[in-house]
Amino acid sequence: MTDFPLTRIALPTGVELDVAIAGPEDAPPLILLHGFPESHRTWRYVMRHFQDRYRLIAPDQRGFCNSSKPQGVENYQPKHMVVDLLALADHLGIDTFTLVGHDWGGAIAWMAALNHHDRITRLIMANAAHPFTYQKALFDDPDQRASAQYITEMRSPDFEAKVLAMGWDAYFDSRFAEPSAAVHITPGERAIYLAQWQTPGAFTAMVNWYRASPLIVPPMDGEVERPAYLSRPFPPVTQPTLLYWAMDDYALRPSLLDGIETLVPDLMLVKAPGGHFVPWEQPQALIAAMEQFLDR
């Protein structure tokens, strides 16, 4: 079920993570964070390509696959994943590193970069919404608000029961409904996903990432109080950043790029066709952008 051997690493945060590690130990480190509903395998093409010259570290984050699944929604607040990330780097003797993120992994990467300039030297993001533009778009862009209503559904206490009633195969088809994703998923890949999701405790732990998030998703037929911070200046990401954005992503709309140059002054923005799951839907295009960025 993996393209790379997994190393089990116990962290002082109280969790154990399965981690794929490739490349020379003395090479520049890249830590790669996956999103929902995936695993380290999100990065398999990227890791194969760069393993000759970079040290690549891709964990199954807490709650996913066979990594630890602490009980309680509060254990999936984003701050805990940031601490996991830094503890993992410390365990591996890595002081500073380039951080790569997609989807939820990107959310953790933005947060880590904003708060730990001393550790994270560069960012590489693939369809990973900036926290300010995402929250703003949920209030100001009706299309983005509509696209995010699934989060409210996932936060309901009976979501897991609904998925079980639907059946895993039907849920799989709904989760990868974008044509760009469906055409890239072989029967073998489908089997891997279904096995990972059905690992005891994994699905609830994965969904708890959404339940623990402070993100406000307004309903389509009403309003909630707008966060005050949306009316104030937001601190910039100071690290050089590659943001690769596939423009046909249904979950993350193009409006999430509005104002991104102000929030990320040292930005290489690549807009491309394609859907949400960039790292394995269009790996060669992402790799080409990464090559250009890393060679700067």
Side-chain angles (χ1 to χ4, degrees):
M1 288 177 56
T2 181
D3 296 66
F4 297 91
L6 295 175
T7 300
R8 187 79 170 182
I9 297 178
L11 300 178
T13 60
V15 300
E16 296 182 3
L17 303 183
D18 283 344
V19 185
I21 303 175
E25 189 170 338
D26 60 349
L30 275 64
I31 300 181
L32 306 101
L33 302 180
H34 68 82
F36 179 94
E38 303 205 275
S39 70
H40 72 277
R41 296 191 70 256
T42 299
W43 303 109
R44 57 194 181 275
Y45 299 109
V46 170
M47 292 183 72
R48 286 178 203 152
H49 180 84
F50 286 106
Q51 65 181 330
D52 63 329
R53 67 205 118 128
Y54 289 96
R55 188 183 188 194
L56 301 146
I57 298 108
D60 290 337
Q61 298 199 75
R62 68 163 65 194
F64 287 81
C65 301
N66 289 307
S67 289
S68 293
K69 303 165 186 64
Q71 296 292 311
V73 170
E74 68 279 3
N75 286 305
Y76 296 90
Q77 295 171 359
K79 65 181 180 181
H80 296 305
M81 282 68 104
V82 173
V83 177
D84 286 348
L85 164 69
L86 298 177
L88 176 61
D90 290 342
H91 177 89
L92 295 171
I94 296 171
D95 183 23
T96 60
F97 55 94
T98 296
L99 185 55
V100 186
H102 170 249
D103 185 76
W104 255 115
I108 302 307
W110 286 121
M111 184 175 177
L114 283 162
N115 290 284
H116 299 280
H117 312 85
D118 58 325
R119 303 295 302 274
I120 298 158
T121 57
R122 293 179 296 188
L123 278 180
I124 295 174
M125 308 293 248
N127 282 57
H130 185 283
F132 183 88
T133 65
Y134 195 23
Q135 187 63 88
K136 185 175 186 300
L138 287 172
F139 279 87
D140 298 343
D141 178 7
D143 288 339
Q144 182 58 70
R145 184 184 298 196
S147 293
Q149 292 305 306
Y150 73 93
I151 296 175
T152 301
E153 180 184 8
M154 293 177 72
R155 287 171 167 172
S156 67
D158 61 348
F159 180 70
E160 292 94 328
K162 289 180 178 177
V163 171
L164 289 175
M166 177 192 301
W168 288 109
D169 284 311
Y171 178 71
F172 183 96
D173 291 337
S174 68
R175 191 63 188 86
F176 294 109
E178 287 185 357
S180 58
V183 299
H184 287 89
I185 297 177
T186 65
E189 288 295 320
R190 183 188 187 101
I192 290 171
Y193 277 111
L194 292 175
Q196 290 176 341
W197 298 350
Q198 294 176 77
T199 301
F203 195 70
T204 290
M206 292 159 59
V207 172
N208 280 345
W209 282 55
Y210 290 91
R211 292 174 175 144
S213 168
L215 188 73
I216 299 170
V217 182
M220 293 304 297
D221 56 355
E223 293 295 332
V224 294
E225 185 176 356
R226 187 182 183 90
Y229 75 82
L230 293 182
S231 301
R232 300 194 296 262
F234 196 85
V237 171
T238 58
Q239 294 90 338
T241 300
L242 165 63
L243 179 55
Y244 185 102
W245 202 271
M247 300 294 287
D248 304 314
D249 187 336
Y250 176 79
L252 302 176
R253 299 298 185 126
S255 63
L256 296 177
L257 299 178
D258 293 348
I260 194 68
E261 293 87 355
T262 300
L263 294 162
V264 190
D266 192 352
L267 178 67
M268 174 180 164
L269 177 61
V270 176
K271 299 179 183 180
H276 178 71
F277 295 97
V278 171
W280 48 262
E281 282 186 33
Q282 42 185 315
Q284 295 309 315
L286 174 60
I287 286 167
M290 290 178 66
E291 287 275 18
Q292 182 181 352
F293 176 75
L294 291 168
D295 287 344
R296 293 199 313 176

